[in-house]
Amino acid sequence: MTEHLRHFGQETFASLRVRNFRLFFVGQGISQVGNWMTMVAQSLLVLSLTDSGVALGLLAVAQFGPILVLGPWAGLVADRSDKRRLLIVVQSLAMLQSFLLAIVAFTGGPVWTIYAVAFFGGLTVAFDNPARRAFVVEMVPEDLVPNAVSLNSALMTSSRVIGPALAGLLITTAGYGWAFLLDGISYIAVIVSFWMMRTRELRPSPVAARTKGQIRESFRYVRRMPELFVPLVMMGVVGTLAFNFNTVMPLFVTRDLDGTDAIFTILFSVVSVGSLVGALVAARRTEVSVWNVGTASLGFGVSLALLAIVPNLGVALPVGLLLGVCSITFLTMSTAIVQLRSAPEMRGRVLALQAMLFLGSTPIGGPIVGWVAQEFGARWSLVLGAVACLAAGAWGMAVVGRDDRGRSLDAAIDDSLSPTS
């Protein structure tokens, strides 16, 4: 039994044997806790000032709109840059954003100032996301890339366990401003971790040459690669209507379940525990297929449908645990397949496209699900997300199924997208 557990640990945490990745892991671990404190505190602060689902949707527009607009260009910047240096600059700007939010909260600024600072933060995320995820591949040997990707996802989700709970504690005892202030301080850890890395031990990707049409080239490249195109389409659909937790969950808890802000942070943390479990399980996977991404999308849809019909918080907690497992499984697999199948010189741009479809779709989906929650109840927003996941997963698996019966995957995609199909 002991030997089996030791072997499980060695496989699950293999990437942490690499010093640079270990530094990255620790620094991001501290910073991401603060980041989730800010995400939760922002949503609750806007809700407390407006009591409006539409207002939460507009916050999502401010936070993630820059990714939708700048995503492909930000990915090109990552492909052309030393990613470690780029990340130091971007993380320093993100630190400034958190301190600005703290000033707004301490001084009682109006709602529009929260939107303005959130928009500034969205600009930093647009450049941070493709660079940081592409940099994960450069820190570890190629055979450890799937493990590093999954552990990075586990890191992000484990911070969601601590961050929301800590935010709830600070909001109820000290106020919103302290959550933002501590987030700003937490960025010191990640900036120091980048400075301490041994650059000679990195495995840098080829720097993309400066030529015309490089953004258009990334779109053509993805379209020629079915194993990238299909997961990206699924991510666009799921990201738009299902991954709007910051908009839907506060309304679901406070209105449909008659809970409080503190109860919301508890449910959010439970979902995050499930996400952590799912990410650690995914860390043992060495290969990812389009079929895997499709089945994960179906599981995500089922868990959202179950949450939509829970009668009370007692039932919502175990369902939330399942939701966490299924949502992170979909996210991890769809990210891993993009990182593994993209050419090194294209990786930043392809990851930026994925971020644009995942985070950048939120400005489109956020107001939609916020309006649905405002008019009909947050349960119907969850149902809408469930339908999106089920439809995306079924489409992706149908495309793969057609290919498995001997047809080319490109032809299957063209048929499935044809207006006459």
Side-chain angles (χ1 to χ4, degrees):
M1 181 65 178
T2 302
E3 180 64 24
H4 177 74
L5 289 175
R6 186 178 66 84
H7 181 67
F8 176 83
Q10 289 177 341
E11 287 187 348
T12 304
F13 302 101
S15 298
L16 292 180
R17 295 196 295 267
V18 180
R19 179 182 182 274
N20 284 339
F21 184 76
R22 195 162 58 245
L23 284 169
F24 173 85
F25 192 87
V26 172
Q28 288 288 329
I30 296 171
S31 180
Q32 288 298 320
V33 169
N35 186 43
W36 277 103
M37 287 169 54
T38 286
M39 292 285 286
V40 170
Q42 266 188 139
S43 297
L44 292 177
L45 179 56
V46 169
L47 184 61
S48 70
L49 293 174
T50 66
D51 193 32
S52 169
V54 175
L56 285 177
L58 292 176
L59 175 63
V61 173
Q63 289 174 305
F64 303 113
I67 301 174
L68 179 63
V69 176
L70 300 176
W73 182 60
L76 179 58
V77 171
D79 282 336
R80 287 176 173 175
S81 306
D82 179 319
K83 296 177 184 61
R84 186 182 70 92
R85 292 180 180 177
L86 176 61
L87 286 167
I88 290 173
V89 173
V90 171
Q91 294 290 312
S92 299
L93 293 173
M95 176 193 290
L96 174 62
Q97 181 240 355
S98 296
F99 288 143
L100 289 174
L101 278 173
I103 293 173
V104 170
F106 283 131
T107 58
V111 172
W112 72 263
T113 59
I114 301 174
Y115 290 153
V117 179
F119 178 79
F120 175 72
L123 293 174
T124 68
V125 173
F127 290 92
D128 170 79
N129 195 279
R132 174 167 44 81
R133 293 197 293 160
F135 189 55
V136 169
V137 178
E138 298 184 2
M139 286 183 285
V140 298
E142 190 170 355
D143 62 314
L144 290 179
V145 168
N147 178 261
V149 170
S150 295
L151 284 183
N152 187 49
S153 296
L155 170 68
M156 299 301 159
T157 54
S158 62
S159 65
R160 288 166 53 183
V161 179
I162 304 171
L166 187 55
L169 177 64
L170 286 171
I171 289 168
T172 55
T173 58
Y176 293 98
W178 287 100
F180 300 134
L181 181 62
L182 288 181
D183 177 30
I185 295 172
S186 73
Y187 279 100
I188 295 174
V190 70
I191 294 171
V192 169
S193 72
F194 284 128
W195 278 113
M196 291 178 63
M197 287 184 181
R198 296 170 182 164
T199 55
R200 66 182 182 277
E201 295 178 8
L202 296 174
R203 197 167 53 88
S205 302
V207 176
R210 293 178 178 270
T211 59
K212 292 183 178 180
Q214 287 178 297
I215 293 177
R216 291 193 301 272
E217 180 189 1
S218 66
F219 285 100
R220 290 193 296 267
Y221 172 76
V222 166
R223 186 61 186 86
R224 294 195 305 267
M225 301 282 288
E227 63 270 35
L228 299 177
F229 180 73
V230 175
L232 286 174
V233 171
M234 285 193 279
M235 176 57 79
V237 174
V238 174
T240 299
L241 297 174
F243 269 113
N244 289 282
F245 292 168
N246 286 339
T247 300
V248 176
M249 288 296 189
L251 297 168
F252 176 64
V253 171
T254 57
R255 295 185 180 181
D256 293 81
L257 298 181
D258 297 320
T260 63
D261 289 352
I263 296 299
F264 158 67
T265 60
I266 292 173
L267 178 59
F268 204 99
S269 294
V270 168
V271 172
S272 302
V273 169
S275 299
L276 176 60
V277 172
L280 290 176
V281 171
R284 294 172 55 82
R285 182 180 291 274
T286 58
E287 296 181 356
V288 180
S289 67
V290 177
W291 184 269
N292 297 142
V293 180
T295 55
S297 183
L298 293 180
F300 188 11
V302 170
S303 62
L304 279 171
L306 290 174
L307 188 63
I309 61 174
V310 297
N312 52 53
L313 181 65
V315 181
L317 292 177
V319 175
L321 194 69
L322 176 64
L323 175 64
V325 172
C326 295
S327 62
I328 199 61
T329 299
F330 172 78
L331 181 58
T332 299
M333 289 186 176
S334 58
T335 300
I337 197 170
V338 169
Q339 288 176 307
L340 289 169
R341 305 293 178 88
S342 301
E345 66 275 12
M346 298 291 294
R347 188 174 290 125
R349 276 167 284 179
V350 177
L351 285 169
L353 287 176
Q354 193 212 26
M356 185 176 69
L357 292 168
F358 173 44
L359 298 175
S361 61
T362 303
I364 300 171
I368 294 173
V369 299
W371 177 82
V372 170
Q374 183 76 20
E375 296 297 320
F376 307 104
R379 293 184 188 274
W380 287 104
S381 295
L382 295 172
V383 170
L384 182 61
V387 171
C389 292
L390 294 172
W395 174 78
M397 295 174 71
V399 170
V400 174
R402 291 174 186 173
D403 181 60
D404 288 343
R405 291 199 296 268
R407 303 180 60 206
S408 74
L409 191 52
D410 278 322
I413 295 170
D414 289 338
D415 287 352
S416 65
L417 293 179
S418 171
T420 60
S421 62

